[in-house]
Amino acid sequence: DAKTTQPTSMDCAEGRAANLPCNHSTISGNEYVYWYRQIHSQGPQYIIHGLKNNETNEMASLIITEDRKSSTLILPHATLRDTAVYYCIVRVGRGSQGNLIFGKGTKLSVKP
Amino acid sequence: DVKVTQSSRYLVKRTGEKVFLECVQDMDHENMFWYRQDPGLGLRLIYFSYDVKMKEKGDIPEGYSVSREKKERFSLILESASTNQTSMYLCASTPSSGKYEQYFGPGTRLTVT
């Protein structure tokens, strides 16, 4: 199973872009990169996922390097409510039954 | 919006008690999951189910069992609760097609004394 490596913590100023890196150097060709976040005392929340191409939705952008060994989640204008633990996950298993292996994530603190 | 609900936010039980944690989802998802979350260990998969009456062991199934009698409901059972099962328990569901993202419930914080 592919593993991910993330920094333990990061700070970001409110209103600035938050760029959260993730290393997944052993990812295989058919594995997706997923990002979730968990705000204190809540269940994890899906943010975005991608395979090869960069992706954008209403919450964030996902930039995946050409060799797919790393990716960056970008929150374009971070707010205080974005303070959370962010998990980068490589999805294992086949079909929709594959479970998500959550690592320790990056604790993002957005400061005023 | 997808709703995943869990029967309790907080639960306190005694050692040796049988504990039922209930999870219900309202989006007709085929797949459901039970995780536990502990400080420093992240989320760990206990069991999952991809259909009614079907179940698969996750990474840490010991001391737990599950039941999926109806598609919308997935129950986690602690046959004889022990103190090392004190944890946050999270339920999730996902459809069998589409983006496959998991939708999580709010969690149940279980304390076994």
Side-chain angles (χ1 to χ4, degrees):
Chain A
D1 298 344
K3 303 272 189 243
T4 62
T5 305
Q6 298 176 255
T8 304
S9 63
M10 292 182 65
D11 290 341
C12 178
E14 189 179 18
R16 303 298 293 269
N19 296 286
L20 292 94
C22 180
N23 181 288
H24 33 79
S25 57
T26 60
I27 193 171
S28 60
N30 61 350
E31 288 181 314
Y32 287 76
V33 179
Y34 281 76
W35 282 84
Y36 282 73
R37 73 180 183 184
Q38 188 172 21
I39 296 170
H40 183 62
S41 297
Q42 297 182 23
Q45 176 191 22
Y46 165 82
I47 301 173
I48 200 167
H49 79 287
L51 182 64
K52 293 185 205 177
N53 300 321
N54 299 337
E55 302 285 346
T56 295
N57 64 19
E58 65 278 2
M59 288 181 72
S61 295
L62 174 60
I63 309 297
I64 302 175
T65 58
E66 194 170 337
D67 63 8
R68 304 214 319 128
K69 292 185 177 182
S70 65
S71 60
T72 301
L73 178 76
I74 302 171
L75 308 179
H77 304 287
T79 71
L80 299 179
R81 288 184 295 180
D82 292 322
T83 292
V85 177
Y86 287 78
Y87 296 96
C88 168
I89 299 159
V90 172
R91 184 171 167 274
V92 300
R94 293 188 178 179
S96 60
Q97 298 166 22
N99 58 291
L100 301 172
I101 297 177
F102 286 76
K104 297 185 180 179
T106 296
K107 183 173 171 55
L108 175 69
S109 298
V110 180
K111 299 182 185 298
Chain B
D1 275 356
V2 175
K3 277 279 193 322
V4 180
T5 56
Q6 295 183 227
S7 49
S8 306
R9 287 302 306 271
Y10 300 95
L11 207 53
V12 179
K13 295 291 182 181
R14 292 192 182 276
T15 302
E17 278 193 82
K18 191 169 186 176
V19 181
F20 292 88
L21 302 182
E22 303 282 336
C23 175
V24 178
Q25 50 93 5
D26 66 358
M27 283 302 291
D28 203 35
H29 286 171
E30 288 77 12
N31 307 299
M32 298 186 74
F33 304 81
W34 274 107
Y35 295 88
R36 66 177 280 178
Q37 184 173 30
D38 302 288
L41 296 177
L43 276 79
R44 293 179 291 167
L45 182 67
I46 304 171
Y47 267 97
F48 67 98
S49 168
Y50 52 88
D51 202 352
V52 175
K53 297 192 186 295
M54 306 299 286
K55 60 185 178 183
E56 293 284 343
K57 291 180 180 179
D59 300 320
I60 51 164
E62 297 78 20
Y64 303 94
S65 62
V66 290
S67 172
R68 184 114 181 256
E69 296 296 320
K70 293 185 177 181
K71 192 175 186 180
E72 68 271 17
R73 189 180 298 269
F74 191 35
S75 301
L76 180 70
I77 303 154
L78 287 67
E79 294 289 342
S80 177
S82 63
T83 55
N84 63 12
Q85 292 178 310
T86 291
S87 186
M88 169 71 87
Y89 289 87
L90 290 156
C91 174
S93 73
T94 188
S96 60
S97 61
K99 292 190 287 186
Y100 309 142
E101 70 270 23
Q102 292 193 6
Y103 297 88
F104 283 83
T108 295
R109 184 164 294 283
L110 172 67
T111 302
V112 182
T113 61

